[in-house]
Amino acid sequence: MQKFLTFIVNLMKKENLFASQGGPIILAQVENEYGFYESAYGDGGKRYAAWAANMAVSQSTGVPWIMCEQFDAPDTVIDTCNSFYCDNFKPISPNKPKFWTENWPGWFKTFGASDPHRPPEDVAFSVARFFQKGGSLQNYYMYHGGTNFGRTSGGPFITTSYDYDAPIDEYGLARCPKWGHLKELHRSIKLCERPLLNGKTTFLTLGPSQEADVYQDSSGACAAFLANLDDKNDEVVEFRNTSYHLPAWSVSILPDCKGVAFNSAKVGSQTSVVEMIATNLKPSTPSPLRSLQWDVFQEKAGIWGIADFTKNGLVDHINTTKDATDYFWYRTSLLVDENEEFFRNGSSPILIVESKGHAMHVFINQKLQASASGNGSSPPFKLTSPISLKPGMNVIALLSMTVGLQNAGSFYEWIGAGPYSVRITGMKKSTVDLSSSTWTYKIGLLGEHLRIYDTDGLNAVKWVSTSEPPKQQPLTWYKAVVDSPPGYDPIGLDMIQMGKGLAWLNGQEIGRYWPRIGSKGEQCVQQCDYRGKFSQNKCNTGCGEPTQRWYHVPRSWFKPSGNILVIFEEKGGDPTKITFSTRKISSVCAHISEDHPAFDFEYSQKRSTGDFINKTTTRLKCHPSTQISHVKFASFGNPTGTCGSFAQGQCHDPNSVSTVEKVCLNKSYCELEISQENFDMQLCPSLVKRLAVEVVCS
C-alpha cells in the first residue's frame, strides 16, 4: 500500500498539482470509511489506521490529509463525515474544521432493484443545515453521475449506469430542478461569505422545532439561517421583529439577516423533461434493401478447447478466475439408468444448486435449462429447477457468472462466488450429490479469449452473415456495422429486448447489460414527500420495470461510419430490436409562487440602504442548439399538477399564454418576472398566486 500511495503522490508532485506547488489539489485522502470495519480486525485494525495516517502525512504533500468516517483518526489528519446529513457531525478535535466529504444527492442502483431518488428539497436542506451549524467544506458524491464502462462496476450487482440521481446526469445533462435548485443554494451561501468566515455565531430558539443561527462580524455584516425541523407542519416564526414563513423541513437563508434569498423547500428553478428518442441501427454499407446485416457466432455450451483443469469437488469462482472474466465453466457428467421412474411417469428430476453468487445458467446436453441469480442485497442464491435428462450419459455444464466484485466490508476478499453444492432429487437414489464429483473447468468464453469484439480479433472465428439473426438463442455473439446516430445529443444503447450479456463499440466495452425486471415487492412511490429524514429506499420508482434499459455510449467512441457493434448474449434476446437512442431535453417547466424568495442572482446588487433586491423571477432555458418553439401550457393563478400534467385552476389569467409567448418564443433562454407588467396581480386577491409554464424545445 505504501508503494502504491507513494507512486500516486509522486505522480501528482511531478506535475506540480498540489496547492503547495501552485496546483489545484487542496486536500488528500487516505483510506475511506475504514472506521466502519476497523473493529472486525481488533487491535490490528487500530494499528493499521494509525499507520496509514502517519504514512500518508510523511509524504510531505504540503496539503492536509483527511480520513473519512475514521473515528479514531490521529491528530495529524482531519476526520470527516460521509452521510445524507452531517449538520450534527463534530470532528474529534475542536481545533479541526468540519468537513463533509460525501453528501449523497441520490444513491446507486443494482440490477433487479428499483430506482433510488433523493428530492432536491432534501439535498438543499441538508447542505443549508450543514453550513448553518458551522460547516467548513461540503462535497457531493456524486455531483456528476457516470458510467461503469466495461466490467468496472462493483457491489456486486451495481448497474453499468452510475447515474446516482446526481445534479448532472450520466449523459452530462443538467438534472433539473435538482441542478438549478442547488445552484441557487450555492449562490445564497456565497452571499453569506463574509459573516460566515469572520463573524461570531449566535443560536436562537424560535419554536419547539424551529431555530436560527446568526453570524455577525465586527463591521455589522450579518447572515442568518432559519430552520424548521418539523417534518409535517409549516410554521411562521418571529425573527428580529419580522415574521417569516418556514415550510416543514426547510431552511431559509437571509444573507443580510432581513431578506430571504433562498428556502430549501421552495423550488423555483426549471424542471427539464428528458426523453430517449429511438433511432434504428443503420447499416454503414448500403444494400439493395438497406437491411442491417448481422454476423453471428455461436459459443459452445461447456468446455471449449482444452480444459484448464480437472478436480474432484467445486472450486471458488473468483479465486480461480482472478476477475479476468465474468464467466467460469463447471462441467461434469451423470449416467442415468433408462429404468428411472421419471421416464415412465412424466415427472422431472429436480436440480438444486447452491451458490455464493452471483448468477448462473445451467446447460444440460448443450441446452439451456435453468437460470438463477442473487441480487444486490443478497448475492448468494439457490437454484431449484426441474430438468430434462436422457437415458445414458448426460453432460451438465454450469456457466457461473460474477456481476462486479464486493467493494466494501470486513474480510470481503474471502467472500468468493460460484456453486458449492450441486444435487439432483427425484431419482432412484433419492438424492444424487454431485458436489464431490469430478468437475472439469474452463475460465472465460472462446470469443473473449480470441477477442472477437476487438478490431484485431474480429476475424478469429467464422461468422455467419444474415439479415435475420437467430432470436432467443443463448451463448450467441452478434456483430453489425452501423452508422453513427445523427446530431450531437448523447447516445444510449437500448437493450430492452435482450437478455443479459456484454456490449462493445469499436472495441470499447460499453459494459454489462441486463434489463432485469425490478422486484414488485419493493416499496415505490408516485410522488416523493421530501419532508423528514431521507434513506436510500424512501423515494424509489420503477418497481416491476427493467432496472436499466439504456447504456451510455460516448459520442467520442463513434466514427462517422463503419462502427462495429458487438454483442454477447448469454440467455437469448432479439438483436433486431436493438436501437440507439439520443437523449434530448424535449420540454422545460417552471412552477413558482409570487411569494417565492427568488433573489435575482444574475443581477445581484444592493440598494443604498444595504438591502438585497428580490425579484420573483423564473428562467426557462433550452439546450443552446434548440429554441422555445411552442408554449404547451401557461397559467398564472392557482394551476394544479406537476411538470407534464399541469392544469388550470379556478383562478387563471387569460393572458398567461400570450405573455409567455411574447417573452420566450423563438429564444433559447428567457426570464419571466411575476409582476403587474406581465400578469394581472389583482386577480384572486385572497390567494397566493402561482405561475406554471411548460414550453417545448426544438
Side-chain angles (χ1 to χ4, degrees):
M1 177 178 167
Q2 184 170 359
K3 286 181 180 179
F4 173 75
L5 189 142
T6 302
F7 178 80
I8 297 298
V9 167
N10 286 340
L11 277 179
M12 303 299 104
K13 286 182 177 179
K14 184 179 177 182
E15 302 297 329
N16 296 317
L17 291 177
F18 288 108
S20 56
Q21 301 172 292
I25 298 176
I26 62 171
L27 292 173
Q29 178 182 337
V30 61
E31 268 301 342
N32 186 57
E33 299 181 351
Y34 185 75
F36 293 142
Y37 315 112
E38 180 182 301
S39 61
Y41 299 94
D43 290 339
K46 284 185 172 295
R47 290 196 302 271
Y48 167 74
W51 171 84
N54 293 328
M55 182 269 292
V57 172
S58 72
Q59 299 289 326
S60 301
T61 60
V63 302
W65 283 88
I66 61 173
M67 295 184 84
C68 305
E69 296 295 332
Q70 189 61 49
F71 314 119
D72 58 358
D75 199 49
T76 51
V77 299
I78 301 169
D79 57 304
T80 74
C81 179
N82 293 350
S83 184
F84 290 115
Y85 307 95
C86 284
D87 47 301
N88 291 324
F89 167 74
K90 292 183 180 179
I92 295 172
S93 168
N95 298 320
K96 291 181 181 177
K98 182 174 177 174
F99 282 2
W100 188 0
T101 35
E102 290 187 20
N103 180 359
W104 307 319
W107 199 245
F108 59 83
K109 183 163 56 171
T110 57
F111 286 115
S114 52
D115 252 341
H117 300 281
R118 188 179 180 193
E121 298 96 329
D122 186 68
V123 183
F125 172 81
S126 70
V127 178
R129 281 289 290 169
F130 178 70
F131 285 103
Q132 176 179 354
K133 293 301 179 182
S136 298
L137 174 147
Q138 189 264 171
N139 176 66
Y140 295 100
Y141 180 95
M142 309 286 291
Y143 192 77
H144 189 333
T147 307
N148 294 310
F149 294 116
R151 298 172 50 253
T152 56
S153 65
F157 287 94
I158 292 177
T159 55
T160 301
S161 170
Y162 205 75
D163 182 84
Y164 218 84
D165 199 36
I168 300 175
D169 73 14
E170 174 183 9
Y171 294 83
L173 300 180
R175 173 172 277 111
C176 295
K178 184 174 284 186
W179 180 85
H181 194 49
L182 294 179
K183 182 179 180 181
E184 291 184 4
L185 165 69
H186 303 157
R187 287 175 162 182
S188 300
I189 294 172
K190 177 71 173 174
L191 292 173
C192 306
E193 180 177 20
R194 182 173 169 180
L196 280 177
L197 292 178
N198 304 297
K200 293 182 179 180
T201 180
T202 303
F203 174 78
L204 301 172
T205 299
L206 303 178
S209 299
Q210 295 75 40
E211 59 187 43
D213 287 271
V214 183
Y215 292 82
Q216 189 160 5
D217 68 12
S218 57
S219 71
C222 180
F225 295 77
L226 312 185
N228 181 9
L229 306 182
D230 190 319
D231 61 7
K232 294 180 177 61
N233 302 304
D234 294 7
E235 295 291 343
V236 175
V237 299
E238 292 290 322
F239 173 70
R240 296 196 171 189
N241 300 318
T242 302
S243 296
Y244 294 89
H245 173 255
L246 294 178
W249 200 253
S250 76
V251 177
S252 284
I253 299 176
L254 288 60
D256 59 354
C257 285
K258 297 178 183 177
V260 178
F262 181 87
N263 178 270
S264 60
K266 294 186 176 183
V267 180
S269 55
Q270 76 174 30
T271 296
S272 298
V273 178
V274 180
E275 295 181 338
M276 300 297 287
I277 310 298
T279 59
N280 292 330
L281 299 183
K282 294 182 179 179
S284 278
T285 304
S287 63
L289 299 177
R290 287 289 291 174
S291 61
L292 184 64
Q293 288 292 116
W294 288 93
D295 292 340
V296 180
F297 171 69
Q298 182 75 38
E299 282 271 345
K300 181 182 178 182
I303 307 300
W304 51 269
I306 300 172
D308 289 327
F309 61 95
T310 299
K311 186 175 181 178
N312 291 337
L314 299 162
V315 301
D316 182 76
H317 179 137
I318 296 172
N319 194 46
T320 307
T321 64
K322 311 297 184 189
D323 193 38
T325 171
D326 282 356
Y327 303 105
F328 188 31
W329 283 105
Y330 296 65
R331 188 191 70 184
T332 193
S333 57
L334 176 67
L335 185 62
V336 178
D337 192 322
E338 64 181 4
N339 295 316
E340 284 284 354
E341 187 71 22
F342 61 80
F343 286 130
R344 292 194 299 273
N345 63 20
S347 63
S348 297
I350 303 297
L351 175 68
I352 302 171
V353 180
E354 294 180 87
S355 174
K356 293 176 282 186
H358 304 149
M360 179 178 289
H361 300 308
V362 176
F363 294 84
I364 299 178
N365 301 324
Q366 294 286 307
K367 292 186 177 180
L368 177 62
Q369 295 209 16
S371 298
S373 63
N375 55 54
S377 301
S378 179
F381 63 89
K382 183 177 181 179
L383 180 154
T384 303
S385 175
I387 55 173
S388 176
L389 298 173
K390 65 181 182 180
M393 191 62 70
N394 291 261
V395 177
I396 299 173
L398 310 179
L399 180 57
S400 176
M401 295 163 287
T402 50
V403 189
L405 298 185
Q406 188 86 13
N407 55 11
S410 305
F411 304 106
Y412 66 78
E413 68 273 27
W414 296 100
I415 292 175
Y420 61 86
S421 173
V422 180
R423 292 168 289 142
I424 298 177
T425 63
M427 300 179 70
K428 280 183 180 179
K429 295 181 180 179
S430 183
T431 299
V432 177
D433 193 339
L434 300 174
S435 307
S436 300
S437 298
T438 300
W439 290 84
T440 304
Y441 295 92
K442 189 69 180 182
I443 297 171
L445 308 168
L446 176 59
E448 280 185 305
H449 178 71
L450 297 176
R451 298 179 63 85
I452 64 175
Y453 50 81
D454 204 355
T455 307
D456 296 334
L458 287 173
N459 298 320
V461 297
K462 187 174 181 180
W463 298 88
V464 177
S465 294
T466 176
S467 59
E468 297 183 5
K471 302 170 186 177
Q472 309 307 325
Q473 179 172 287
L475 301 180
T476 305
W477 292 82
Y478 299 97
K479 174 167 67 76
V481 182
V482 297
D483 279 343
S484 172
Y488 300 95
D489 295 307
I491 299 169
L493 185 68
D494 188 349
M495 302 297 278
I496 189 64
Q497 297 296 332
M498 299 299 285
K500 179 179 180 295
L502 299 168
W504 293 261
L505 183 79
N506 295 328
Q508 301 273 11
E509 192 167 2
I510 298 166
R512 301 181 182 98
Y513 69 84
W514 192 5
R516 185 181 184 182
I517 300 299
S519 170
K520 293 183 179 179
E522 289 187 281
Q523 190 77 24
C524 282
V525 298
Q526 291 293 321
Q527 189 169 353
C528 179
D529 186 350
Y530 74 88
R531 300 173 300 178
K533 286 279 186 179
F534 179 80
S535 62
Q536 58 263 36
N537 296 317
K538 179 182 178 182
C539 296
N540 287 15
T541 62
C543 290
E545 298 177 7
T547 307
Q548 185 176 352
R549 174 175 178 171
W550 290 280
Y551 297 80
H552 182 207
V553 188
R555 280 263 178 198
S556 59
W557 289 9
F558 284 89
K559 300 180 290 186
S561 62
N563 298 283
I564 300 173
L565 178 67
V566 177
I567 307 293
F568 172 66
E569 172 57 48
E570 298 170 11
K571 60 181 184 177
D574 185 353
T576 65
K577 300 292 177 59
I578 296 173
T579 64
F580 286 127
S581 295
T582 53
R583 192 166 177 84
K584 294 177 178 287
I585 297 174
S586 58
S587 63
V588 295
C589 300
H591 194 184
I592 191 169
S593 64
E594 61 180 327
D595 65 349
H596 185 84
F599 180 81
D600 189 354
F601 294 107
E602 300 294 337
Y603 305 100
S604 59
Q605 51 185 306
K606 286 187 177 183
R607 294 192 185 95
S608 57
T609 58
D611 296 332
F612 288 96
I613 297 175
N614 278 296
K615 289 168 60 180
T616 304
T617 304
T618 190
R619 297 169 179 83
L620 299 172
K621 187 176 183 179
C622 295
H623 188 275
S625 64
T626 63
Q627 293 182 338
I628 297 170
S629 58
H630 172 61
V631 178
K632 196 172 181 179
F633 180 88
S635 177
F636 179 70
N638 63 342
T640 60
T642 58
C643 184
S645 61
F646 286 134
Q648 287 183 15
Q650 291 181 336
C651 178
H652 169 69
D653 183 345
N655 295 318
S656 300
V657 171
S658 61
T659 297
V660 176
E661 287 177 339
K662 179 182 176 182
V663 175
C664 298
L665 216 54
N666 301 319
K667 297 177 181 177
S668 291
Y669 171 85
C670 67
E671 295 184 0
L672 287 164
E673 183 182 352
I674 295 182
S675 64
Q676 187 62 47
E677 181 182 347
N678 291 327
F679 302 102
D680 183 0
M681 303 300 292
Q682 309 308 313
L683 192 72
C684 311
S686 62
L687 290 177
V688 176
K689 291 174 284 296
R690 302 185 306 277
L691 172 65
V693 179
E694 181 174 2
V695 298
V696 175
C697 299
S698 62

